[in-house]
Amino acid sequence: MKDGGYAVAVTLGDNSNYAITTKAGALTITPASLEAGSIAVQDQTKTYDGTTATDSTQYAVTLSNQLTAPKWTADDFDLSGISSQNVGSYAVTLSAKGVADLQAANSNYKVSAADVTGGHQVISKAPITITAPTLTKVYDGKAYSGTDDVATVTGLPTNGAALNYSLTDLSQAVNVKDGGYGITVTLGDNSNYAVTTADGSLTINPMKPQLDSSSMRFTRRITVILLTTQRFIRLESKVAS
């Protein structure tokens, strides 16, 4: 297409019998309309990180063969549809500037916002692993009170939402038990995460018996008495013989 169209002039040959007046004409080529699907913004995927941040220049725009792409910039994309940082699918399309830039690069075609098929910013779940602790203690007749009864979490984004989970209650785990006590992770609502859990355990080992000093003295007295008695019996036996 050419601004002002193309002039169509009359070129005269030998016309000696005529007084000829000529008037130029014109050829005007109007921009062609685009077929549906000629312009499409492709989806972009990111893993949930707790922010709405996205790189506009990473959106790909698919054009039909007859169209030429301008040099896309961040301002060419309308990201107003990204209304949340949570997992989901959010609308992305060309901005008014993006449409204008595309029109400028393709003067033979009529480009409008209606010709653009929008894409999406797809936020997928972040993978998280929660590992329950493996604990040990010696039997003392009391429930476990260590400060290390906490899970190990890997993969949690710096700006991500807090995880919703709990560990097995150990308040009744007092006695020695074959196989120990299982510690499991119970999940709550964690819609932004794909959570994998790993069980832990609490092992209570038997307490070794301990004698206090008074018991040891009492034991020694009994031993002395027994030894003395045995000597007396042996001596009495020899006198009798």
Side-chain angles (χ1 to χ4, degrees), residues 92-112:
V92 175
T93 190
L94 290 182
S95 64
K97 180 180 181 298
V99 173
D101 288 347
L102 186 57
Q103 176 66 85
N106 297 276
S107 58
N108 289 326
Y109 298 92
K110 183 179 180 181
V111 179
S112 70

Side-chain angles (χ1 to χ4, degrees), residues 5-193:
Y6 296 87
V8 180
V10 178
T11 301
L12 297 175
D14 180 16
N15 297 282
S16 57
N17 294 316
Y18 301 100
I20 300 174
T21 300
T22 63
K23 184 176 181 180
L27 169 63
T28 301
I29 301 176
T30 59
S33 297
L34 295 172
E35 296 180 356
S38 293
I39 308 168
V41 179
Q42 300 301 301
D43 292 349
Q44 181 185 130
T45 301
K46 65 174 275 188
T47 300
Y48 170 78
D49 62 2
T51 74
T52 57
T54 183
D55 185 353
S56 314
T57 61
Q58 295 303 308
Y59 286 98
V61 181
T62 301
L63 303 175
S64 56
N65 291 336
Q66 72 270 28
L67 295 178
T68 300
K71 183 177 181 181
W72 301 111
T73 66
D75 292 338
D76 289 326
F77 297 91
D78 179 0
L79 307 182
S80 61
I82 304 177
S83 58
S84 172
Q85 76 278 12
N86 294 320
V87 168
S89 181
Y90 304 93
V92 175
T93 190
L94 290 182
S95 64
K97 180 180 181 298
V99 173
D101 288 347
L102 186 57
Q103 176 66 85
N106 297 276
S107 58
N108 289 326
Y109 298 92
K110 183 179 180 181
V111 179
S112 70
D115 297 313
V116 180
T117 300
H120 298 86
Q121 167 74 78
V122 180
I123 302 177
S124 59
K125 293 184 177 184
I128 300 291
T129 300
I130 304 175
T131 303
T134 297
L135 310 171
T136 60
K137 65 169 287 187
V138 174
Y139 171 77
D140 60 1
K142 301 176 182 179
Y144 190 83
S145 59
T147 58
D148 52 351
D149 182 17
V150 293
T152 300
V153 177
T154 57
L156 185 68
T158 301
N159 296 306
L163 285 167
N164 186 4
Y165 71 95
S166 62
L167 297 176
T168 299
D169 179 13
L170 298 177
S171 62
Q172 302 303 311
V174 176
N175 299 314
V176 175
K177 178 182 178 183
D178 288 342
Y181 297 85
I183 303 176
T184 60
V185 180
T186 301
L187 297 175
D189 180 19
N190 296 285
S191 57
N192 289 314
Y193 303 110

